[in-house]
Amino acid sequence: MTNSKENTEKIKTLCHQWGAALFGVADLGSFKKEEVLLSSPWIDRLSCGISVGFHLSDSILEAIEDHPTPLYFHHYQRVNILLDTIGLIITSAIQDLGYQAIPIPASQIVDWKTQKGHLSHKHLARAAGLGWIGRNNLLVNEKFGSRVRLVTILTDLPLMTNPPSIQDCGSCHACLSVCPAGAIKERQENFDHLRCYEQLRTFAKTLHFSHNICGVCVKACRGPK
Ligand code: SF4
Ligand code: SF4
């Protein structure tokens, strides 16, 4: 007989031991399964999405002005590798308990037309109670703002789930004026994806980065004040 409270504590402790700052569990039933771009014989049987967040280095972010720095680019890549490693460690622990687990890559695009991964880590994190989608179109956590990166592990291990966050940006507008592309709007649903994407492509081209990164609105967002 598996105990969901015991399982949750075990997996959560493991995540924190590996450097994670955030841990939450979403009920996959309430998360739109049609948003999961994954063909697996297991997918319909998986009940939970574990969301794990790493708190990015504040000092590295503070050095960003109006474009990403080489140090941030390196940090971004290493954090993705760590998050993928945490995904593997959690998968191994879950399988040892006799259950299924699918670690979703921290940063892998599978649909180039829509620029989507296997699933949206930020939307799953929101469903797991770790924050909300802010005006900058990123997850905003109450404690760390948008200064986090995320990974997801899908599983059928019985776990205690968290309710989705109902908070929002409130009166904060700290990210609006800093965006070099003018992509961030008053209303999150008006976020200009194309402008943001074009700005990231320009950074990648002119700064010789192999990934589309920015970091400007990540730095600006420390959560609503
Ligand atoms: S990532 Fe950069 S370009 Fe995109 S919204 Fe944030 S600040 Fe603007
Ligand atoms: S900086 Fe403020 S307005 Fe922008 S996403 Fe963060 S909390 Fe929301």
Side-chain angles (χ1 to χ4, degrees):
M1 188 68 172
T2 52
N3 179 325
S4 57
K5 195 172 173 201
E6 223 173 81
N7 292 339
T8 307
E9 276 312 308
K10 184 183 170 112
I11 303 299
K12 186 177 178 178
T13 302
L14 205 45
C15 289
H16 288 315
Q17 281 169 347
W18 277 83
L22 299 176
F23 175 92
V25 182
D27 176 357
L28 272 189
S30 66
F31 186 75
K32 288 183 199 162
K33 278 209 181 157
E34 61 264 30
E35 285 191 17
V36 181
L37 305 178
L38 205 61
S39 79
S40 159
W42 300 106
I43 194 74
D44 288 338
R45 295 189 224 164
L46 304 181
S47 49
C48 293
I50 302 169
S51 182
V52 180
F54 182 88
H55 176 203
L56 291 164
S57 163
D58 288 315
S59 300
I60 288 177
L61 286 168
E62 286 305 329
I64 292 176
E65 288 182 359
D66 56 359
H67 58 75
T69 61
L71 193 55
Y72 175 62
F73 176 53
H74 181 79
H75 186 54
Y76 176 94
Q77 288 180 302
R78 295 303 305 179
V79 170
N80 284 340
I81 291 168
L82 174 63
L83 287 168
D84 282 339
T85 302
I86 293 173
L88 294 178
I89 287 160
I90 299 310
T91 296
S92 172
I94 290 173
Q95 291 192 151
D96 283 350
L97 291 169
Y99 289 88
Q100 299 297 323
I102 304 178
I104 306 297
S107 180
Q108 183 190 36
I109 293 172
V110 291
D111 184 340
W112 284 93
K113 211 169 152 192
T114 58
Q115 290 288 303
K116 285 187 175 175
H118 290 103
L119 58 71
S120 165
H121 294 296
K122 66 185 174 190
H123 284 106
L124 193 120
R126 194 198 71 79
L130 295 183
W132 62 97
I133 308 302
R135 292 192 168 94
N136 61 4
N137 200 40
L138 298 173
L139 183 87
V140 183
N141 173 261
E142 201 174 358
K143 188 169 175 196
F144 303 119
S146 291
R147 294 177 168 205
V148 290
R149 285 203 58 77
L150 302 159
V151 75
T152 305
I153 303 103
L154 305 179
T155 183
D156 59 355
L157 178 71
L159 292 166
M160 310 253 296
T161 57
N162 306 103
S165 168
I166 50 162
Q167 223 180 314
D168 60 25
C169 293
S171 60
C172 178
H173 292 83
C175 57
L176 259 78
S177 59
V178 300
C179 174
I184 306 173
K185 312 291 181 193
E186 171 69 28
R187 294 169 67 87
Q188 190 272 323
E189 54 270 35
N190 293 335
F191 180 83
D192 194 328
H193 296 265
L194 189 60
R195 275 194 181 198
C196 174
Y197 176 69
E198 281 170 355
Q199 182 64 59
L200 268 53
R201 292 291 303 146
T202 302
F203 282 148
K205 216 169 158 184
T206 56
L207 300 170
H208 309 291
F209 293 151
S210 57
H211 284 62
N212 294 338
I213 61 162
C214 175
V216 175
C217 62
V218 174
K219 174 194 174 182
C221 182
R222 308 203 72 162
K225 298 289 172 286

